[in-house]
Amino acid sequence: MTLPEVQVPPRQDAGWLPEVVTARRPLRWLAAAGVLVVLAMVASALVTNPAWEWEIVGQYLFAPSVVRSVLLTLELTALGIGLGFALGTVLALMRLSPNRLLSSVAWGYVWLFRSVPLILQLLFWYNLALLYPRLSVGVPFGPEFFDVGTMDLIGPLTAAVLGLALHQAAYAAEIVRSGLLSVDHGQREAAAALGVPPGRRLFRIILPQAMRTIVPNAGNEIIGLVKGTSVVYIMALPELFYQVQVIYNRNGRVMALLLVAAIWYLILTTALSIVQHYVERRYGRGRA
């Protein structure tokens, strides 16, 4: 039995290569077309519906009172994140300590402040004077050296910063701890064998490597706190969300003022996301 001959096309030259044909994917194009239609419908609904009152949005977007509320929002975010991560770093080191008392206290702090909602923590600090009208410094169960009125010491802004920072510290502690644990234990042993002091070992060897893990999660926490500051409206602090409420309760332009707040939150979170991207890329290259 003889096999049929197979016709092979002759080569044109020594550099002949088979032709590559791209696979056709019609469903992908249909899905893209459907998404474009939906986006066009959303844009049409935003532009053509007069109920959005874009002229009112433009009028109040850069109003002095709104801009001041944006600055207060940034101030609360900076203080909450700065103090929160400072305390969170201490708590993370306590959690990693071989001392049972230190690790237990840090674990209890994280458990407590992650379990209680932020709004309750803010109300607690805001109403602390109901429990302790005066705060004193002295020997436990002994004489007091001096005291001060709680209302004089903890005002609305101080209570907001305390609540945000202490709440954020619980999450920051876990972020920093996970970053420190991600560094190979051999790095610590090698640094200790070379006689590097513990402080220098932490800040010059371990922490720069841990930043690859810490930065993405920390960036997400910062962006989340920008929006989370809206909770302090219960303390009548004129941050962004509270301020737009004051304005639309006065003029009745509810949706327009809510859109003003949404645009500002978009601007702030987008700017922070860009900063986070470049910081992640920097530490991703291994630079401290």
Side-chain angles (χ1 to χ4, degrees), residues 261-284:
I263 291 173
W264 271 114
Y265 282 125
L266 284 171
I267 292 173
L268 296 177
T269 55
T270 301
L272 290 172
S273 297
I274 293 172
V275 174
Q276 177 186 353
H277 167 74
Y278 284 103
V279 173
E280 286 183 16
R281 192 168 70 173
R282 176 183 177 84
Y283 282 102

Side-chain angles (χ1 to χ4, degrees), residues 161-200:
V161 172
L162 273 175
L164 293 172
L166 295 177
H167 176 78
Q168 196 62 44
Y171 293 91
E174 293 300 283
I175 292 172
V176 175
R177 186 174 70 93
S178 65
L180 295 176
L181 291 175
S182 68
V183 179
D184 186 76
H185 191 69
Q187 298 283 334
R188 298 178 175 85
E189 294 177 344
L194 292 172
V196 180
R200 186 176 179 84

Side-chain angles (χ1 to χ4, degrees), residues 1-271:
M1 179 177 178
T2 59
L3 296 176
E5 295 183 359
V6 179
Q7 298 292 331
V8 179
R11 295 187 177 184
Q12 301 297 325
D13 50 46
W16 178 84
L17 293 173
E19 181 182 358
V20 178
V21 179
T22 304
R24 300 181 183 276
R25 303 183 185 275
L27 292 179
R28 182 181 299 176
W29 288 102
L30 287 175
V35 171
L36 284 177
V37 170
V38 172
L39 290 176
M41 292 172 62
V42 171
S44 175
L46 290 174
V47 173
T48 59
N49 188 350
W52 286 104
E53 299 180 311
W54 289 102
E55 67 281 358
I56 303 297
V57 173
Q59 177 183 346
Y60 284 99
L61 188 60
F62 295 101
S65 60
V66 174
V67 174
R68 284 194 298 269
S69 69
V70 172
L71 295 178
L72 180 58
T73 297
L74 291 174
E75 180 183 356
L76 290 172
T77 302
L79 291 172
I81 285 294
L83 297 175
F85 268 87
L87 178 57
T89 302
V90 175
L91 291 169
L93 296 175
M94 291 172 63
R95 283 288 305 273
L96 297 174
S97 172
N99 187 296
R100 287 289 185 87
L101 177 61
L102 294 179
S103 61
S104 299
V105 169
W107 181 88
Y109 180 98
V110 172
W111 165 77
L112 177 64
F113 281 87
R114 288 202 306 180
S115 301
V116 180
L118 175 59
I119 191 169
L120 291 182
Q121 296 180 40
L122 292 171
L123 288 173
F124 173 84
W125 291 109
Y126 187 62
N127 295 286
L128 186 63
L130 297 177
L131 293 173
Y132 302 100
R134 302 191 69 81
L135 298 176
S136 61
V137 176
V139 179
F141 306 104
E144 299 177 355
F145 300 142
F146 65 90
D147 61 7
V148 63
T150 304
M151 291 294 293
D152 299 327
L153 184 63
I154 303 179
L157 182 60
T158 305
V161 172
L162 273 175
L164 293 172
L166 295 177
H167 176 78
Q168 196 62 44
Y171 293 91
E174 293 300 283
I175 292 172
V176 175
R177 186 174 70 93
S178 65
L180 295 176
L181 291 175
S182 68
V183 179
D184 186 76
H185 191 69
Q187 298 283 334
R188 298 178 175 85
E189 294 177 344
L194 292 172
V196 180
R200 186 176 179 84
R201 191 188 314 163
L202 173 64
F203 290 104
R204 299 295 297 175
I205 298 174
I206 299 173
L207 196 56
Q209 298 180 68
M211 291 299 287
R212 293 185 180 183
T213 303
I214 293 173
V215 168
N217 296 316
N220 292 334
E221 287 296 317
I222 295 172
I223 292 172
L225 189 59
V226 169
K227 298 173 290 183
T229 54
S230 60
V231 181
V232 304
Y233 80 93
I234 59 172
M235 306 163 74
L237 284 175
E239 50 78 42
L240 180 57
F241 184 63
Y242 180 84
Q243 188 60 40
V244 298
Q245 284 184 305
V246 170
I247 297 174
Y248 72 60
N249 284 332
R250 186 171 62 243
N251 62 14
R253 308 292 189 176
V254 178
M255 296 308 300
L257 269 301
L258 290 178
L259 191 57
V260 168
I263 291 173
W264 271 114
Y265 282 125
L266 284 171
I267 292 173
L268 296 177
T269 55
T270 301

